[in-house]
Structure formats: C-alpha cells, structure tokens
Amino acid sequence: MMTTRKISFVICFAAGIFGLVQYFSPHPAISSVYRSLLDWVQIIFAFALLVGALSVLRMHAGKVMKRDRHWVYSAVAVASLIAMTAAGFAGGADRGSLFAWLFDNVQVPMQSTVFALLAFFVASAAYRGFRMRNLEAGILLVTALLIMLARIPIGELATDWLPRSADWVLNVPSMSAKRALLIGIGLGSVTTALRVILGIERSAIGG
Amino acid sequence: MRLLSLDRRIIYILVLLAVGVPLLFRVPLPVKVGVETRKVHSAIDNIPHGSYVMLSFDIEASSLPEVKPLAEATVRHCFQRDLRIIGLALFSEGAAIGYNLLVQVADEMGKVYGSDYIYLGFRPQYVSAILGMGESIEDVFPLDYLNNDWREYPGYASLGNYDDVALVISIADGSLPTYWVEYAGSRYNQKIAACLTAAMTTSYYPYTVSGQLVGMVSGLKGAAEYETMLGYSGGGHRGMLSQSSGHALIILLVIVANVAELRKRK
C-alpha cells in the first residue's frame, strides 16, 4: 500500500521529469499533455486562492466570536472581504459598478497612503542611519547621494558628469554584483528543483 | 548635539512640505530623455500599425500613483501608433487598475473596445499563465474581463499566441518582468519591455544590457521622459518638482547629520 507521501513523491517526480523532457520535445502528444498540465496548475492555484480566502475568513471570524484583542480589526477585515465579494458577484467589475467604486475609492487610496508613509520613514531613517562611520559606509553614502541627485532633473541640469557617473555606478559595479547574485540564484534554483524532483528535498510534500 | 537627536516629527513635517507643496505648483522642469526610455519608445515606434501589443498590469494598488503616469504614457503611445492592445493582469489588484486605465485613455483618444483594445482580466499563477499564452491565449483567457468571448471581436479573431504579439510590456512594481523574460522571452522568443517603479530599476539593468528586455521606463522620471518624447505634460512632469525637492531634502538631511556627527567627534 502506497502512503500519501509516496503518492505525492511519484506525482512530483513524474511532473518534474515531464517538465524537463517536454522542453526539448516538439512532439504533438507531449505538447498536448503540457498544455493540460498548465491548465491544471491554474485550476489548482485558483482553488488554493479559495482555500486561502476561506482560511482568512475563518481565522478572523473566530477572533470576532471570541472577542479577542483587536477583534474590531478582524470584524473590519471580514466585513470588507464579504462586501467586496458580494459586490463583485452582484454587479460585476465594470466601470460604474459598486465593486469598481469600492476599489477606486477605498482600496486604492488606503494602500497608496500606507505605501506613501515610507517616504517619511525613509527620510527619518536616512537622517539617523546614513553616517560615514568607516570607509565602506562612506562609499555607500557617496554612491547613494550621487544616484539620488542624478535621478532628478536638477541634478541632470547641474552637470553632465552626474548622470554619467550614476550610469557608470549602475552599469558596472552594481550590475556585476547583481549578475553574480542572479547566477547564484539560478544555480540554487536548479539544485533545489533537482532535489525536489528526486525526492531528496521532501518538505513540500510533508517529508 | 541637538542636531543629532532631531525630533523625527520635524523630519516628517519637512518631508510633507518638500513633497506636498510642489504638487500645488505647475513648474515645468526640463527633462533629459534617458537611453532606456528611448529604447522602449523606439521599440513601439518600429512596430507596424495594426500589430498586437500585450500590456500586462503586474501591479498592486499601493504603487498606482507612481506607475499610473508610466502606464498612461505607454498606452497613449500604443494607441497613437494604431497598435491593437491586449490588456491583462497577473496580479489580482492590477486587473481593475489596468481596465480603468485602458478605458480612460481609450475614451480620450476615441479608441473602441474590441477593435482597438481588449482586456482579458486576471489569471492566478503567473508562471503557468505566461507559459500557457505561449501555446494559446484563448486557453488561458477563454473570456475577457467583461465575460465576453473576445474571439468574436473583429480586431482579435486572428490572435493565437505569442507568435502574433509584437511586444509584451510588463507594467510592474515587483519581479514579474523577470518571469516574462524567463518564460515568454526564453521559451517563446517573445520581445519584452518593462515599465517599472524606480525602486526596481537596478534589478533590471542586467536584462536590458543583455537584450532580454528591449528597454525599460522607470519611475516618475521615466514617465516624464516618455511624456517629453510624446510631446505632452502629464503625471510624470507634475511629479518632477515634488520628487526633486524630496530627493534634495533627503540629501540635505544626510549631509547635516554627517556634519553634526563629525563635529561631535572633534
């Protein structure tokens, strides 16, 4: 009798090997299976979203029922989730619908406001933390000031030297570091994928 | 040293003034157009009239103030060139944002839904959505955002997969352009450009230099550059004075803090 974990491993192994093989084969049968697999991934993910939404609803509804600390926030979360879902199902998402109105006039301003607060924290943090305490911190400081100055019209108008220096920083030292990171991430991804396909790494399937 | 322990509320007020007050004034700042913006502009300029261009709104509502001028300029350019736009979103929040923006610009420019643009809406799991569209766009999006069969629209009946799409433009505030490059670019040889928030710019230089991205327009500055190339003044230009004074304030604060620190050490 195969355990659930073994079944999961077999599916994972078969899907992984198929994913590798199909990349190199233009055969119509393989292509057809590949398209079906892509559909399955989308269907599974759509159900995962549903499970996620229900889980959020259950957690917050529980907090409201038990009158936990900050239960009012949970009540707002539950009410918002239900309201947006009902508005979407009832009137669609086209312009002029209740869903679009709620999105444009509640969600967008709220999220933009929270994100905009970053400007205040960044300024305060830069004032307190950006100090030239040693050579490395000095290089970081000068580079940051250079990029900030070069990325606004005033800096560009002041001298050609500023944008050219900023471009050099971005195209040479910054890019070489970024490329090294990308290559490292790529190799790491290949290794992890192989470990998952071969069943060495089983945390994803409860191993 | 009093300066070193400056009350953070004073900094907050200074930031509010530096960013907020310039928004009240319309002072046009001259903007020099950068290389990356030119690349995107000329990539769109070189696409034959009537070709399909895919605009993917891979954004969240939080970054809308920065991304909207970028997206607006790109959409205007595509419509000016009589390109047929296929709008979609790979982030759920981007679905409503992209639709509103497309309809708004289309209405201004007298473009018609179904013949000049369509909007396919949102699909979860962006990797499989990107790969799936390489096989068949209809498989991934059987219906459009308004629940209509988009194959019935006169301008889009011949749309099959990436082979029919001249350029994909990912309007993003995160890592989605990477997935477009890795899956649509590598596997299907799809040309890809990106419109990004300024914070993401450095992450994508390796892709533009290698040619995996045909170019990128980034941040409010990029939007202002694009508007300059299109010959109009929009949200990008409006934000330039505010962004300039905001950057100048941070630079000033950092200099003041370091001078105070040096004096304290002495």
Side-chain angles (χ1 to χ4, degrees), chain A residues 59-69 71:
Chain A
M59 188 189 80
H60 285 290
K63 282 188 176 179
V64 175
M65 307 282 260
K66 284 186 218 154
R67 292 288 193 274
D68 269 5
R69 197 164 163 253
W71 67 271

Side-chain angles (χ1 to χ4, degrees), chain B residues 70-88:
Chain B
L70 276 174
E72 216 173 280
T74 319
V75 171
R76 271 180 204 285
H77 192 201
C78 292
F79 279 147
Q80 274 177 12
R81 296 275 310 148
D82 288 327
L83 303 177
R84 282 181 288 181
I85 293 176
I86 309 152
L88 58 97

Side-chain angles (χ1 to χ4, degrees), chain B:
Chain B
M1 287 290 283
R2 270 175 153 192
L3 268 177
L4 283 175
S5 55
L6 189 66
D7 189 334
R8 70 184 59 195
R9 283 170 294 189
I10 295 173
I11 297 174
Y12 293 165
I13 290 168
L14 289 174
V15 173
L16 181 67
L17 293 173
V19 176
V21 173
L23 288 173
L24 303 174
F25 302 101
R26 281 212 168 202
V27 181
L29 288 178
V31 175
K32 281 188 186 173
V33 181
V35 180
E36 292 304 328
T37 306
R38 270 184 209 284
K39 281 192 206 167
V40 176
H41 185 274
S42 68
I44 294 177
D45 248 4
N46 291 328
I47 299 172
H49 298 293
S51 303
Y52 294 115
V53 171
M54 189 176 271
L55 292 185
S56 181
F57 292 88
D58 309 324
I59 49 174
E60 288 168 329
S62 52
S63 56
L64 186 61
E66 186 180 6
V67 175
K68 194 180 175 192
L70 276 174
E72 216 173 280
T74 319
V75 171
R76 271 180 204 285
H77 192 201
C78 292
F79 279 147
Q80 274 177 12
R81 296 275 310 148
D82 288 327
L83 303 177
R84 282 181 288 181
I85 293 176
I86 309 152
L88 58 97
L90 296 180
F91 278 174
S92 58
E93 287 172 26
I97 293 170
Y99 180 68
N100 283 346
L101 199 132
L102 266 183
V103 174
Q104 179 207 316
V105 179
D107 287 351
E108 281 172 33
M109 299 181 75
K111 298 291 178 180
V112 180
Y113 191 88
S115 52
D116 300 308
Y117 71 103
I118 53 167
Y119 196 70
L120 301 177
F122 163 68
R123 273 296 169 275
Q125 226 300 324
Y126 36 79
V127 172
S128 69
I130 293 170
L131 285 171
M133 285 190 288
E135 302 296 315
S136 162
I137 295 172
E138 192 187 12
D139 274 4
V140 181
F141 291 97
L143 300 174
D144 68 2
Y145 189 57
L146 307 174
N147 279 330
N148 299 320
D149 181 356
W150 56 267
R151 296 296 294 250
E152 288 175 3
Y153 294 126
Y156 291 83
S158 61
L159 178 63
N161 55 28
Y162 292 137
D163 291 343
D164 305 313
V165 178
L167 182 68
V168 170
I169 303 171
S170 173
I171 298 161
D173 58 5
S175 57
L176 254 295
T178 311
Y179 293 96
W180 279 107
V181 166
E182 284 173 0
Y183 297 104
S186 305
R187 176 152 189 157
Y188 297 100
N189 294 319
Q190 177 60 55
K191 277 188 181 176
I192 297 149
C195 292
L196 304 158
T197 49
M200 296 308 298
T201 313
T202 46
S203 300
Y204 289 98
Y205 269 102
Y207 294 106
T208 60
V209 173
S210 65
Q212 289 166 297
L213 280 177
V214 297
M216 63 179 172
V217 189
S218 58
L220 268 187
K221 172 80 172 15
E225 291 175 7
Y226 215 103
E227 288 167 5
T228 304
M229 294 201 81
L230 296 181
Y232 80 99
S233 174
H237 274 94
R238 263 200 306 282
M240 274 301 91
L241 187 62
S242 179
Q243 184 167 307
S244 297
S245 55
H247 279 211
L249 175 69
I250 292 177
I251 291 167
L252 193 70
L253 285 172
V254 170
I255 291 170
V256 168
N258 277 279
V259 170
E261 172 100 4
L262 280 174
R263 286 182 63 184
K264 185 186 156 197
R265 277 189 218 163
K266 282 177 186 173

Side-chain angles (χ1 to χ4, degrees), chain A residues 12-105:
Chain A
C12 183
F13 178 80
I17 294 297
F18 178 78
L20 265 176
V21 172
Q22 61 78 28
Y23 194 86
F24 301 99
S25 168
H27 195 279
I30 287 185
S31 180
S32 165
V33 177
Y34 169 63
R35 283 167 74 155
S36 299
L37 267 184
L38 289 177
D39 288 345
W40 288 1
V41 172
Q42 291 238 306
I43 293 164
I44 290 166
F45 199 85
F47 275 99
L49 277 181
L50 188 68
V51 171
L54 290 175
S55 163
V56 166
L57 191 64
R58 209 176 84 173
M59 188 189 80
H60 285 290
K63 282 188 176 179
V64 175
M65 307 282 260
K66 284 186 218 154
R67 292 288 193 274
D68 269 5
R69 197 164 163 253
H70 301 314
W71 67 271
V72 178
Y73 299 127
S74 293
V76 172
V78 170
S80 308
L81 203 153
I82 293 170
M84 286 301 272
T85 310
F89 275 114
D94 200 359
R95 294 208 333 160
S97 64
L98 178 63
F99 179 89
W101 189 89
L102 285 170
F103 184 79
D104 291 342
N105 296 292

